[in-house]
Amino acid sequence: MATLGDLERAVMDLLWEHPEAITANALRDLLSQRPSGDGDGQESRPLAVTTVLTVLSRLEKKGLVERERSSRPHRYRAVTSRADHTAELMLEVLGSAPDREAVLARFIGTVSEGEAATLRKLLGRD
Amino acid sequence: MATLGDLERAVMDLLWEHPEAITANALRDLLSQRPSGDGDGQESRPLAVTTVLTVLSRLEKKGLVERERSSRPHRYRAVTSRADHTAELMLEVLGSAPDREAVLARFIGTVSEGEAATLRKLLGRD
DNA sequence: TGAAATTTCTACATTATGTAGAAGTCTAAG
DNA sequence: CTTAGACTTCTACATAATGTAGAAATTTCA
């Protein structure tokens, strides 16, 4: 239930950047600006608004997006912050492992020194 | 590139449990035993060996499985340990976040006290 | 040398996602 | 109140991933 498609991802990224709920049209405009990921300079296609709406509906069904049906052009916002979402995903991945500690060991071995420091601080010394 | 299907997952779980490389037939037998996840007591269908072979080929293409072509009934083994694989997945998820530290904070807030202790040990006190 | 075992090819069903036109609904101007 | 234009919902199709396995090709061993 975790993975998002490219477009879904792009939409979520925009919603995460936006504190305010925004309309599908606004999203479409923002999407048409940002480079489509791959290095190709292709300025690419402006998506149809219905496309954005479809994606938003799917994200809503997945519980990642919430919409204000009150205001007329509906406005959408992310339900959780990106950090929360990412952390949840990580936990989901970790959760299915019977050997959590071993996983954490490998994991820790890879984070940068600065992040390690952050982690130490977060864990406290108790 | 991360997510595995249910059957692929089941096969990987078996390979991870097995230190030795094993044959597709052996895998099929092991698969037919274990309960198919959902609570339904349905003893279910023994998979065709070709099905297992297909899945193994796909996993090989994904770089998760390696096969010994030398021995006649080919034998398969997982390329990495489950812990390594899981840790990689976690890093993959984390990597795409521009706000890694925030994610780590959320993440740390969720692990058990025992695990937190393990993490402290792993991080050292430097 | 063949029959049995094994592997590779090919194929089909289902689901997720990208994409958007068609059709229905609502709002605001007149 | 009426209706054109904006907005939303339905419906639909293409592509890719995955589950599933028969058919065909290949290998082995009796």
Side-chain angles (χ1 to χ4, degrees):
Chain A
M1 201 228 119
T3 318
L4 298 181
D6 291 336
L7 183 52
E8 291 178 324
R9 181 76 198 175
V11 168
M12 285 311 298
D13 278 338
L14 287 173
L15 290 179
W16 276 321
E17 281 170 25
H18 264 262
E20 331 284 329
I22 56 181
T23 68
N25 269 296
L27 276 170
R28 189 220 36 218
D29 293 342
L30 291 171
L31 283 168
S32 66
Q33 288 172 240
R34 72 173 36 197
S36 27
D38 55 64
D40 197 334
Q42 220 41 89
E43 237 316 311
S44 69
R45 63 324 87 119
L47 295 173
V49 181
T50 49
T51 299
V52 180
L53 264 303
T54 301
V55 168
L56 284 168
S57 291
R58 288 174 181 166
L59 290 171
E60 190 187 26
K61 192 177 315 177
K62 292 183 187 180
L64 296 182
V65 160
E66 207 170 48
R67 90 168 80 186
E68 283 173 16
R69 284 196 143 83
S70 47
S71 64
R72 206 32 196 22
H74 294 177
R75 284 168 181 284
Y76 303 79
R77 92 166 61 71
V79 168
T80 64
S81 73
R82 167 159 40 197
D84 277 334
H85 175 71
T86 307
E88 268 170 44
L89 272 193
M90 287 178 61
L91 287 166
E92 198 180 304
V93 171
L94 174 61
S96 64
D99 42 7
R100 292 172 58 111
E101 309 233 329
V103 175
L104 290 175
R106 308 283 192 303
F107 178 70
I108 289 305
T110 319
V111 300
S112 75
E113 179 44 42
E115 285 168 343
T118 305
L119 288 175
R120 282 192 207 94
K121 206 166 304 172
L122 287 167
L123 286 164
R125 78 213 78 39
D126 180 351
Chain B
M1 200 229 119
T3 318
L4 298 179
D6 292 337
L7 182 52
E8 292 178 324
R9 182 75 198 176
V11 167
M12 285 310 298
D13 278 339
L14 287 173
L15 290 178
W16 276 322
E17 281 170 24
H18 264 262
E20 330 284 329
I22 56 181
T23 69
N25 268 296
L27 277 171
R28 189 218 40 217
D29 293 342
L30 291 172
L31 283 169
S32 66
Q33 287 173 239
R34 72 173 37 198
S36 26
D38 56 65
D40 196 335
Q42 218 43 86
E43 239 315 312
S44 68
R45 69 298 106 114
L47 295 173
V49 181
T50 50
T51 299
V52 180
L53 264 302
T54 300
V55 169
L56 284 168
S57 290
R58 288 174 182 167
L59 289 171
E60 190 187 27
K61 193 177 313 178
K62 292 183 187 181
L64 296 181
V65 160
E66 207 169 49
R67 89 168 80 184
E68 282 173 17
R69 284 197 143 84
S70 47
S71 63
R72 205 41 212 354
H74 293 177
R75 282 166 182 285
Y76 303 79
R77 93 166 58 71
V79 168
T80 62
S81 73
R82 167 161 38 199
D84 276 335
H85 176 71
T86 307
E88 267 170 44
L89 273 193
M90 286 177 62
L91 287 166
E92 199 179 304
V93 171
L94 174 61
S96 64
D99 41 8
R100 292 172 58 112
E101 309 233 326
V103 176
L104 290 175
R106 307 284 191 303
F107 177 71
I108 289 306
T110 319
V111 300
S112 75
E113 179 45 42
E115 286 168 341
T118 306
L119 288 176
R120 280 191 208 96
K121 206 165 303 172
L122 288 168
L123 286 163
R125 82 217 66 50
D126 182 348

